[in-house]
Amino acid sequence: MTDNMGLAPERSDREALLRYQTASLQRVSRTFALTIPCLPAGLQEAVGNGYLLCRIADTIEDDPLLDGEEKAHWQKVFLQVLRREVPAAEFAAGFGARMATEMPAGEHDLIAHSAEVVALTHSFNAIQQAALIRCVEIMGEGMAEYQRRASRAGLIDQADMDRYCYVVAGVVGEMLTTLFLEHEPRMRDGGAPLEALAVSFGQGLQMTNILKDLWTDWERGVLWLPRDRLQAHGLEPEALQPGMRDPRFQGFLQEMLALAAQHLRDALTFTLQIPAEQTGMRDFCLWALAMAVLTLRRIAENPGFRSGAEVKISRDSVRTMILLSRLLHRFDPLLDLAFRVATKPLPRAPL
């Protein structure tokens, strides 16, 4: 195989790179290892690669031993690798030597094989490469900024939270939109603002993760919720504690659940722009959407939860969701009805 600063890989090399990508997805994300294979050939490979690139950026930010400046440095180096300005092997060796040993084994393996991941990136067409690199650039710079600011004081306001959700998830929605349209241009035929819907889709998923991981993040000294909305309910961030049932916090939580559900409504609108016969593309979106809705419902049912494990959806729920998706994925009215039924227990945002 060639380094990322050499020529594109030969066919036999590319097949080996794809085999590594598939194996790595299994190690670092059970969710995406489940959903990415739904996608049609050609799109599946680019989306899987995009996920691994984002995971490398996440790994840099998640390392508990690196300070903000060093994380920003490695994000910059990784972007230079993608731009063919620095050899991937140099990044893999340098950052790999700095990684905390307690980081997951799958992520250590991913960093060690980052040259293979990037070599596959450089085998895609110009549109796909540009979408992937843009996503990593915005995500890496944005995460570095927010990690420097991370504390239990929370984010400044709702606009700040929206921006945070954009750099860690909304930009992924934009990347997926570019890749989806390159594969299936008919998505434009519905006239919907796909890029805006995709950003909202990403925010719905990210807000779900923020709420689910609220107390795990809190224990490590981080709060990703908007301080102004807490204060509007008569609370200061410092007053929060796991399992709290204070009516003021419960009111705030209801507001966040309603906002997340509203973004997930946009996720359904985005999904319905995919032509009905592209069932794999629809399933990819529907499964992520459905798991987020089920998680929000679990939080709504148990608002005094103390950890993400208490609101984790069951494997039986996932299996049922997959079955329903496969039964309904061609039928827009039935998908709309299923969404309305599934979100009925959730609070509604005021008009």
Side-chain angles (χ1 to χ4, degrees):
M1 298 178 201
T2 61
D3 197 315
N4 73 297
M5 295 186 74
L7 299 174
E10 298 293 335
R11 179 169 180 172
S12 59
D13 285 348
R14 193 171 192 273
E15 289 172 354
L17 297 175
L18 287 169
R19 286 195 297 274
Y20 174 77
Q21 177 168 289
T22 299
S24 186
L25 284 168
Q26 294 283 348
R27 285 189 286 267
V28 300
S29 175
R30 286 183 297 176
T31 299
F32 281 97
L34 176 71
T35 59
I36 288 173
C38 295
L39 294 169
L43 182 58
Q44 179 183 141
E45 295 83 353
V47 172
N49 190 256
Y51 176 79
L52 289 185
L53 295 178
C54 292
R55 193 56 180 256
I56 290 172
D58 279 339
T59 298
I60 296 170
E61 289 308 313
D62 290 343
D63 193 298
L65 299 185
L66 301 183
D67 61 26
E69 286 189 11
E70 193 165 6
K71 288 179 180 181
H73 165 74
W74 288 115
Q75 294 286 11
K76 181 180 179 181
V77 173
F78 182 50
L79 182 60
Q80 290 172 325
V81 169
L82 289 172
R83 291 173 172 166
R84 303 175 188 259
E85 298 167 356
V86 170
E90 183 177 315
F91 166 79
F95 178 63
R98 296 291 298 141
M99 278 184 75
T101 56
E102 61 263 38
M103 293 289 283
E107 295 183 7
H108 275 279
D109 183 80
L110 176 60
I111 296 302
H113 291 84
S114 52
E116 284 89 335
V117 177
V118 174
L120 189 56
T121 306
H122 292 155
S123 75
F124 299 129
N125 66 41
I127 293 174
Q128 293 170 323
Q129 285 192 52
L132 298 175
I133 294 171
R134 175 185 180 273
C135 180
V136 172
E137 179 179 13
I138 294 172
M139 177 180 285
E141 292 177 356
M143 287 195 302
E145 172 197 343
Y146 278 96
Q147 284 294 332
R148 284 193 292 268
R149 295 170 45 197
S151 74
R152 283 190 176 179
L155 299 173
I156 299 169
D157 52 23
Q158 187 59 54
D160 198 18
M161 184 183 191
D162 294 346
R163 169 66 182 166
Y164 171 69
C165 289
Y166 172 73
V167 300
V168 299
V171 69
V172 178
E174 291 178 333
M175 175 191 74
L176 288 172
T177 301
T178 299
L179 297 177
F180 278 21
L181 284 169
E182 201 265 342
H183 184 85
E184 180 49 272
R186 289 179 299 163
M187 283 182 66
R188 287 284 190 204
D189 294 348
L194 292 175
E195 286 80 6
L197 289 171
V199 170
S200 186
F201 194 158
Q203 177 151 352
L205 297 181
Q206 187 61 28
M207 286 189 69
T208 301
N209 287 334
I210 288 171
L211 294 173
K212 174 177 66 71
D213 297 333
L214 168 60
W215 302 120
T216 301
D217 289 337
W218 181 255
E219 292 295 339
R220 64 184 185 88
V222 178
L223 181 68
W224 298 119
L225 296 174
R227 187 162 62 247
D228 71 325
R229 300 313 307 151
L230 279 166
Q231 291 169 338
H233 286 268
L235 284 171
E236 293 295 333
E238 296 77 12
L240 301 184
Q241 56 183 342
M244 69 186 302
R245 295 184 177 275
D246 186 313
R248 295 172 298 174
F249 178 73
Q250 294 303 317
F252 167 79
L253 185 60
Q254 293 287 302
E255 181 181 326
M256 292 294 106
L257 288 169
L259 182 56
Q262 191 171 307
H263 283 295
L264 293 178
R265 175 76 233 190
D266 286 344
L268 180 64
T269 303
F270 176 89
T271 304
L272 296 184
Q273 301 306 299
I274 301 170
E277 63 269 25
Q278 290 282 11
T279 54
M281 293 173 67
R282 283 194 167 200
D283 282 342
F284 174 85
C285 296
L286 288 170
W287 294 2
L289 167 57
M291 285 189 279
V293 169
L294 291 173
T295 301
L296 293 180
R297 285 182 53 158
R298 291 281 292 142
I299 295 170
E301 292 163 2
N302 184 16
F305 73 102
R306 293 175 172 272
S307 72
E310 295 179 25
V311 293
K312 184 178 179 180
I313 59 178
S314 69
R315 291 185 179 180
D316 285 343
S317 294
V318 174
R319 282 192 287 266
T320 300
M321 174 272 298
I322 290 173
L323 176 61
L324 283 173
S325 173
R326 286 174 171 163
L327 289 172
L328 305 179
H329 53 199
R330 290 178 179 270
F331 307 105
D332 292 10
L334 292 179
L335 287 172
D336 184 75
L337 175 62
F339 180 86
R340 286 189 280 117
V341 170
T343 56
K344 188 173 183 181
L346 296 175
R348 294 289 185 269
L351 296 176

